[in-house]
Amino acid sequence: HKDYCDVEDQRLDSDPTYKRKPAHKPWEKVAETYREANRSSADHIQVKLRSVGRILVPKGEGSEAPLSDHEIELLAEMEHRRWWAERSLDGWKFAKNRNDSLKEHPNMVPYDQLDGASKDNDRNNVRKMLKIQKGEDQIIVMGNVALNKA
């Protein structure tokens, strides 16, 4: 969440017409719906990794298998679909302009219809979640290598 706020701060600094989003608050002041969105994104990273044949293991239990740019793109698309489903279940719908009080959002479209900045947000979210999940003591390995050890 802090990373998200840092990016939003940069946007506000560089564009005086940019509008502050409701989730752009300190964690303790942000609405529970946005907290849960952060948690869901983090929880789903294991699913995303398995979709490209990877898992997280403690360092020393395998050879690191970094993700390719293509795989990051696939995970970003998955993240967008996860976000879209989450928002839809919360009553959000598509509109050309974002309106939080009416739960309308222009990004409620397939991934290939998103603008570059929105796709970058999804890619960055995936990278950030991977970094957080790995921490200092885990690596990403091919799932079949780790399963063969078991």
Side-chain angles (χ1 to χ4, degrees):
H1 181 73
K2 182 184 179 325
D3 185 64
Y4 164 80
C5 288
D6 290 346
V7 169
E8 288 296 294
D9 286 341
Q10 291 171 2
R11 287 184 180 154
L12 285 168
D13 289 345
S14 65
D15 181 359
T17 65
Y18 190 75
K19 294 181 182 174
R20 182 178 291 273
K21 296 177 184 167
H24 186 185
K25 296 177 184 173
W27 181 256
E28 56 278 355
K29 293 185 179 184
V30 75
E32 184 59 29
T33 187
Y34 299 115
R35 288 185 193 196
E36 188 55 31
N38 277 269
R39 292 182 195 112
S40 295
S41 180
D43 290 345
H44 198 252
I45 201 67
Q46 300 286 349
V47 172
K48 290 180 186 75
L49 281 173
R50 285 192 304 273
S51 77
V52 292
R54 306 290 204 296
I55 59 172
L56 286 167
V57 298
K59 283 184 177 177
E61 290 191 16
S63 298
E64 188 142 20
L67 298 170
S68 68
D69 289 343
H70 174 71
E71 289 167 325
I72 292 290
E73 193 68 15
L74 290 173
L75 300 187
E77 183 172 355
M78 287 180 70
E79 174 55 22
H80 177 68
R81 288 179 182 181
R82 184 209 59 78
W83 170 87
W84 189 4
E86 175 187 280
R87 292 285 119 200
S88 294
L89 290 170
D90 193 34
W92 287 71
K93 57 190 176 288
F94 170 80
K96 283 190 172 204
N97 297 305
R98 183 174 178 157
N99 183 320
D100 293 289
S101 61
L102 296 176
K103 294 187 173 184
E104 296 176 340
H105 203 295
N107 285 356
M108 303 213 39
V109 296
Y111 185 77
D112 63 355
Q113 294 178 24
L114 292 174
D115 62 28
S118 296
K119 287 181 180 180
D120 283 344
N121 285 341
D122 288 325
R123 289 181 202 111
N124 291 337
N125 187 20
V126 164
R127 287 184 183 107
K128 186 66 175 181
M129 287 300 119
L130 289 170
K131 183 178 179 181
I132 290 168
Q133 293 280 328
K134 282 174 53 176
E136 297 296 320
D137 59 344
Q138 295 195 74
I139 58 172
I140 297 172
V141 300
M142 297 304 293
N144 58 351
V145 171
L147 293 175
N148 289 337
K149 286 181 71 176

